Amino acid sequence: MTATAATAGSENGHITGFGTKPYRTYVLLALTLIYTLNFIDRTVITVVAQPIINTFSLTDTQWGLLTGPPFALFYALMGIPIAMWADRGNRVMIISLCVVIWSLMTVFCGLAASFMWLLLFRVGVAIGEAGCTPPANSIITDYYPPKSRANAIGIYSMGVTLGGVLAQLFGGQLASLKGETFGGWMNAIGLGGLMSGINWSEVEGWRLVFVIVGAPGLLIALILWLTIKEPPRGFSDPKSTVVAKAGFFEAFKEFGKKPTFWTLSLGAAFVAFVGYGLISFQAPFLQRVHGVNVRDAAMLYGAPLAAVAAFGTFAGGFLSEKLAPRFPSVAAWLPGVGLLIAVPAYVFAFLAPTLPMAFGLWIIAAIMHYAYLGAQYTVSTSIVSPGSRATTVSVMLLIISLIGNGIGPMFTGAMSSAFMGGIVKKAGLQEAFASFNPALCANKVEELGVNGPALCSAYAEGLRQSMIATVLFFVIAAAFYFLAARTYQKDRWSPAT
């Protein structure tokens, strides 16, 4: 089924975009809010990492498994069929439905009775979140004309880092709640009877985090469904465009032959490999290496780092748009420059002897790191026709998810365990390590006996070395971005192609 863009609306859609400017702004901000919520629910688990590790007595390798492969696999597998649906169906309805699914699954994470149940609920979060970005990017390209898309998608992409900020703020603050405090508050507002069978003294703070941050998504999904209009496909593209609702194989034929798609996807995948690996262990690093508690790790360090990362995302999109007239391929190569600056900044941050020094270097690294986010969507949507955009983005996200989220946390966790094992073996502490309980390192190290300080030091140092090893993969990512820049102009889509 096809329709010319001219029949979809105004002949000037490729100049003005769809709807009024205030309404376009509302739609963009609403989709950014949804993407922000997506990343709050996705990343809040990393804020309460150490408490969960302690509750279920997990190794770093197990924690890497929980935050990595299962989530990535189902996120990737569900992304393509949902994107194909989005290229043919009502995208607003699809996003609303997916928000409901991932919000419910986030709430259920707080109810998990074991490691396996938590793993299954995280898979549910992944399935829901797979339906966010591909249709949202497709909607934005139909609301905004080509000249404004880089900045619009850059703003939307800020949802990743804004979600990180709010996850740190809410997660850090709520994690310090005691079950009795929350139960007393429920009674005070007259809702205690709904949960009269709960022994609040046994409810851990990290469980409350999942329930409280997940529930609002149900209301937000309803508001989205009632207030956002589904735009005609291709409305904001040149009127000579024929807008075909492409199937998967038609879309694959279009983007599969373009080198830019593959080099861009691999570049973004290796950035995600590092990014997911670091964020999964950011809070444990601050707690183990610098002795920061859960709340302060999130509120004083995690949230500010996520905020400057949001600035980096915005700056990347803004600079790309401003420099594009002079450097047409800037959206593809600018991320590579940022990543090469981020490598030494991260390494020195992890090696810094004091927390203020580490934090200052970490800020620089985060800004340079996250300048890439808008580019992956700007470039990928500009090399294919309007009817293939959601599917193209979904395949790119599949590659990113499998390599980045799928392997990154696992690699960082496994390397942390391996480095720690090497340090323990070198110090001859294998026998003491057999009964090591890392939960005691925070404030009960004396209970670990005479070898306690050495074991806790190895626990911290193993993670430090792993974080450094992980960030070196940015060099590979930068190389792929530079390769993408070489073919970007040749591969860009136009109505004549």
Side-chain angles (χ1 to χ4, degrees):
M1 178 178 173
T2 63
T4 62
T7 64
S10 167
E11 292 293 333
N12 295 321
H14 64 295
I15 299 174
T16 63
F18 179 68
T20 64
K21 185 175 181 180
Y23 184 69
R24 279 198 305 277
T25 301
Y26 166 74
V27 171
L28 177 60
L29 292 179
L31 291 174
T32 303
L33 172 62
I34 292 296
Y35 201 27
T36 301
L37 183 67
N38 180 296
F39 266 80
I40 291 174
D41 291 356
R42 183 185 307 191
T43 62
V44 74
I45 191 172
T46 66
V47 179
V48 290
Q50 198 64 47
I52 295 175
I53 291 171
N54 294 343
T55 294
F56 297 121
S57 301
L58 305 180
T59 65
D60 281 352
T61 302
Q62 288 175 308
W63 176 250
L65 173 66
L66 180 63
T67 56
F71 186 99
L73 180 62
F74 282 88
Y75 183 87
L77 290 177
M78 294 303 298
I80 291 180
I82 293 175
M84 291 172 63
W85 184 17
D87 275 334
R88 297 169 177 267
N90 186 303
R91 293 162 289 184
V92 176
M93 183 272 289
I94 292 169
I95 294 174
S96 301
L97 177 61
C98 288
V99 173
V100 170
I101 293 172
W102 89 58
S103 297
L104 283 174
M105 291 297 109
T106 300
V107 171
F108 291 161
C109 284
L111 309 178
S114 67
F115 170 73
M116 285 306 302
W117 276 113
L118 182 57
L119 186 63
L120 289 174
F121 292 140
R122 285 291 293 171
V123 166
V125 174
I127 292 171
E129 294 194 345
C132 176
T133 297
N137 273 273
S138 180
I139 289 173
I140 290 171
T141 58
D142 285 337
Y143 266 94
Y144 283 84
K147 65 178 182 180
S148 302
R149 284 177 190 163
N151 197 39
I153 293 176
I155 292 172
Y156 170 77
S157 300
M158 287 174 65
V160 174
T161 45
L162 289 174
V165 172
L166 295 176
Q168 297 287 339
L169 290 175
F170 290 134
Q173 187 64 42
L174 295 173
S176 63
L177 274 178
K178 301 296 182 183
E180 299 96 321
T181 303
F182 186 76
W185 179 77
M186 292 290 288
N187 288 326
I189 62 174
L191 297 178
L194 297 176
M195 303 178 183
S196 57
I198 296 178
N199 181 355
W200 289 107
S201 65
E202 297 180 356
V203 177
E204 298 160 289
W206 68 263
R207 296 184 182 277
L208 298 175
V209 170
F210 285 112
V211 175
I212 295 172
V213 303
L218 303 176
L219 176 61
I220 293 173
L222 178 62
I223 294 172
L224 178 77
W225 169 241
L226 294 176
T227 60
I228 293 185
K229 299 176 184 177
E230 173 74 10
R233 295 178 195 275
F235 185 96
S236 299
D237 286 292
K239 297 301 112 176
S240 60
T241 303
V242 174
V243 182
K245 297 180 180 180
F248 174 79
F249 292 106
E250 289 80 4
F252 188 86
K253 287 179 182 178
E254 189 174 352
F255 66 74
K257 63 184 178 182
K258 297 187 175 181
T260 304
F261 172 81
W262 300 106
T263 50
L264 173 77
S265 297
L266 288 171
F270 277 102
V271 176
F273 175 94
V274 176
Y276 282 113
L278 298 187
I279 194 64
S280 294
F281 289 91
Q282 175 178 289
F285 176 86
L286 289 168
Q287 292 162 52
R288 298 180 197 177
V289 175
H290 294 288
V292 181
N293 63 40
V294 176
R295 180 186 180 280
D296 287 350
M299 302 288 289
L300 301 182
Y301 302 101
L305 284 171
V308 298
F311 171 75
T313 301
F314 173 77
F318 179 80
L319 285 175
S320 292
E321 187 167 308
K322 294 300 180 183
L323 294 174
R326 185 175 179 184
F327 304 103
S329 298
V330 65
W333 59 256
L334 187 62
V337 175
L339 295 174
L340 291 181
I341 297 172
V343 171
Y346 269 131
V347 170
F348 287 121
F350 299 145
L351 291 173
T354 66
L355 187 51
M357 184 185 298
F359 187 56
L361 290 165
W362 212 326
I363 286 174
I364 297 171
I367 293 173
M368 296 297 103
H369 172 175
Y370 285 95
Y372 87 100
L373 265 175
Q376 70 184 31
Y377 300 124
T378 300
V379 175
S380 63
T381 56
S382 66
I383 62 175
V384 295
S385 59
S388 300
R389 285 172 181 156
T391 300
T392 301
V393 171
S394 75
V395 176
M396 178 186 68
L397 290 178
L398 182 150
I399 296 170
I400 293 172
S401 185
L402 290 178
I403 296 176
N405 200 3
I407 306 176
M410 243 334 240
F411 174 85
T412 306
M415 291 300 291
S416 176
S417 296
F419 283 128
M420 180 184 178
I423 295 170
V424 167
K425 184 177 180 180
K426 185 176 180 180
L429 298 173
Q430 297 95 317
E431 185 175 344
F433 179 65
S435 58
F436 175 59
N437 181 2
L440 299 176
C441 286
N443 48 32
K444 297 181 180 179
V445 66
E446 67 279 358
E447 295 184 19
L448 291 170
V450 66
N451 294 315
L455 289 171
C456 290
S457 176
Y459 190 48
E461 187 60 29
L463 181 55
R464 187 204 301 267
Q465 294 181 19
S466 177
M467 300 277 268
I468 292 172
T470 300
V471 82
L472 296 179
F473 282 86
F474 270 160
V475 176
I476 298 174
F480 278 118
Y481 275 106
F482 293 136
L483 288 173
R486 295 182 63 182
T487 57
Y488 179 38
Q489 289 305 307
K490 178 182 177 182
D491 287 346
R492 292 190 72 165
W493 177 85
S494 69
T497 58

